[in-house]
Amino acid sequence: MQLSKRMHLLASKVTEGNRLADVGTDHGYIPIALVLEKKIPSAIAMDVNQGPLERARAHIHTYRLDTYIDVRLSDGLHGLEPKEADTVLIAGMGGALTVRILREGSHCLDTVKELILQPQSEIRLVREYICGYGFCITEEDMVEEDGKYYSVIRAVHGQAAPLNNDMLCYGDIRVQNSPEILLSYIQEEYEKCERILEILREKGQENTARMEELTEKSRRLARVLGQLLKLRAVI
């Protein structure tokens, strides 16, 4: 099965031999691909909506993997029992929803070995929550697909060093596997931020809350950009 760049990156983060719980599975492509590759022995494809589950069920049946991949109607992790999965994958959702799913799934997270997360927004909330819960971010990765950037976080149980504000917003570059892609993203975000700031200045809105917020964001982006450029020079 041919996966998109984003889904291929997600699938690559799942530890070989782990049982997967794919939350918000949609078409079920990642569990199918991983079982077909014999990277994982089994999976649970979960979704809150019946429509996506039926699509997933049909695809799973097409590949004759019904005995390897269980399909479950579930709001987040409510339908997952403790010790049923080693890896929990949550992708394609906003950061606030990802945090809600993790919080409401605390009944089974203690028996999960790793989290693979790809929030579409508010990534800071996700990093803050998982580190506060007792997970340690072991690696981050990023991919660009169709003009959009997607960040992927892998976390396991353990006590991590505290993350500062820059790291919470953009990740710890020491565990970033794709620094060049992150660099491109940060550069684009910085330039976009500076353009908006210039427009606000032209409109005489220097003393607004929006101006203050964007100025702080620009400074943070500039710091991360400087760190990434130093890293590139070392490499």
Side-chain angles (χ1 to χ4, degrees), residues 90-229:
I90 307 173
M93 305 177 197
L97 178 55
T98 301
V99 168
R100 178 180 75 77
I101 290 171
L102 292 171
R103 182 181 293 117
E104 294 179 3
S106 59
H107 66 282
C108 61
L109 286 186
D110 287 344
T111 63
V112 166
K113 295 178 181 178
E114 67 182 359
L115 302 176
I116 310 296
L117 309 172
Q118 187 265 298
Q120 298 282 61
S121 61
E122 302 173 298
I123 302 178
R124 178 194 176 112
L125 295 180
V126 176
R127 292 190 183 102
E128 203 164 25
Y129 180 78
I130 60 176
C131 290
Y133 187 87
F135 279 90
C136 172
I137 298 174
T138 60
E139 61 178 297
E140 295 212 20
D141 219 324
M142 182 172 269
V143 66
E144 183 272 329
E145 184 176 59
D146 298 330
K148 294 182 180 180
Y149 291 91
Y150 300 94
S151 292
V152 175
I153 297 168
R154 179 182 180 272
V156 300
H157 290 285
Q159 192 61 42
L163 301 181
N164 60 36
N165 285 331
D166 294 351
M167 293 174 178
L168 286 171
C169 289
Y170 302 110
D172 184 348
I173 64 172
R174 294 172 298 182
V175 297
Q176 174 59 245
N177 289 335
S178 301
E180 286 299 317
I181 299 177
L182 178 60
L183 176 60
S184 296
Y185 169 74
I186 296 294
Q187 285 176 322
E188 288 187 20
E189 287 295 298
Y190 177 72
E191 291 167 6
K192 187 190 306 180
C193 192
E194 285 297 302
R195 285 196 298 271
I196 298 173
L197 284 170
E198 185 58 34
I199 292 171
L200 291 177
R201 292 188 194 99
E202 291 173 357
K203 292 183 177 181
Q205 298 181 17
E206 289 92 340
N207 298 318
T208 62
R210 178 66 171 156
M211 185 77 174
E212 184 178 349
E213 175 190 339
L214 286 171
T215 299
E216 177 54 35
K217 181 179 179 180
S218 178
R219 289 171 180 159
R220 181 176 296 122
L221 286 163
R223 287 194 296 269
V224 177
L225 185 58
Q227 292 168 3
L228 285 166
L229 290 172

Side-chain angles (χ1 to χ4, degrees), residues 1-2 29 32 36 58-66 68:
M1 170 173 285
Q2 186 69 34
Y29 290 149
I32 291 170
L36 285 174
H59 290 140
I60 291 164
H61 184 70
T62 297
Y63 286 95
R64 301 180 180 180
L65 297 177
D66 308 71
Y68 299 95

Side-chain angles (χ1 to χ4, degrees), residues 20 22 25 28-36 40-46 56-57 59-60 63-72:
L20 173 68
D22 183 19
T25 193
Y29 290 149
I30 292 178
I32 291 170
L34 289 172
V35 173
L36 285 174
I40 62 173
S42 63
I44 303 170
M46 311 169 75
R57 194 189 307 276
H59 290 140
I60 291 164
Y63 286 95
R64 301 180 180 180
L65 297 177
D66 308 71
T67 58
Y68 299 95
I69 304 176
D70 185 18
V71 177
R72 258 178 226 183

